[in-house]
Amino acid sequence: MTEAQIKIKRTESILQELIPQALAHMNDKRLHNLNILEVKCARGKSDAKVYIDPAQYSDQEKRDYLKLLRKARPIVETHCLKDQGWYRCPKFTFEFDEHLKQAQNIDDLFKKIAKDKEED
């Protein structure tokens, strides 16, 4: 791992701690319980994708949360800037992480294939 990759990983780790703190300080109680799964920074740390756990939310709730998070983005970025004393903060893009559901579907397919082979 190169030094640049280490810096990006360190930034991602810091942001993964700071974003829930910033959301916990919001007036809207709905944002307090969001579970941040992962933060992925772009190469130059100018952008960062924030992945949220979609476990118990319907499609309408997901849209509502994304709308709230888009409005709260500048406040979260300001919190990160002030807490770390950074000159610039990555621009956040919030998304619900659907990879977990896709991985589970793939695992289910593999189990089904294994079961079918056992029956043959």
Side-chain angles (χ1 to χ4, degrees):
M1 194 177 275
T2 66
E3 189 175 329
Q5 291 172 327
I6 292 171
K7 285 182 181 180
I8 289 175
K9 290 289 183 193
R10 187 179 306 134
T11 302
E12 289 172 353
S13 175
I14 291 169
L15 290 174
Q16 193 163 351
E17 292 177 20
L18 288 177
I19 292 170
Q21 289 175 8
L23 293 175
H25 290 18
M26 299 281 177
N27 290 334
D28 194 337
K29 301 271 187 214
R30 294 176 288 179
L31 296 176
H32 295 195
N33 297 327
L34 286 177
N35 186 15
I36 305 299
L37 295 177
E38 186 177 17
V39 178
K40 286 283 187 184
C41 289
R43 237 172 151 182
K45 294 190 270 187
S46 59
D47 295 312
K49 287 191 177 188
V50 180
Y51 294 101
I52 304 162
D53 185 12
Q56 70 267 15
Y57 304 115
S58 68
D59 288 338
Q60 181 61 42
E61 287 175 322
K62 288 179 185 178
R63 284 191 292 273
D64 292 343
Y65 275 111
L66 289 176
K67 189 175 180 180
L68 285 171
L69 288 166
R70 276 193 295 274
K71 289 181 180 178
R73 183 183 54 84
I75 298 166
V76 174
E77 290 173 357
T78 302
H79 175 82
C80 294
L81 281 172
K82 288 181 180 178
D83 188 80
Q84 290 298 305
W86 289 339
Y87 177 71
R88 279 184 358 142
C89 182
K91 182 179 177 184
F92 297 130
T93 305
F94 294 95
E95 296 179 7
F96 281 94
D97 190 6
E98 300 298 337
H99 293 88
L100 194 61
K101 188 183 288 184
Q102 290 173 352
Q104 188 175 16
N105 289 342
I106 290 172
D107 287 342
D108 291 343
L109 286 173
F110 283 136
K111 287 177 186 175
K112 186 177 179 182
I113 291 170
K115 184 179 177 183
D116 290 344
K117 282 188 177 184
E118 287 176 5
E119 289 177 1
D120 291 341

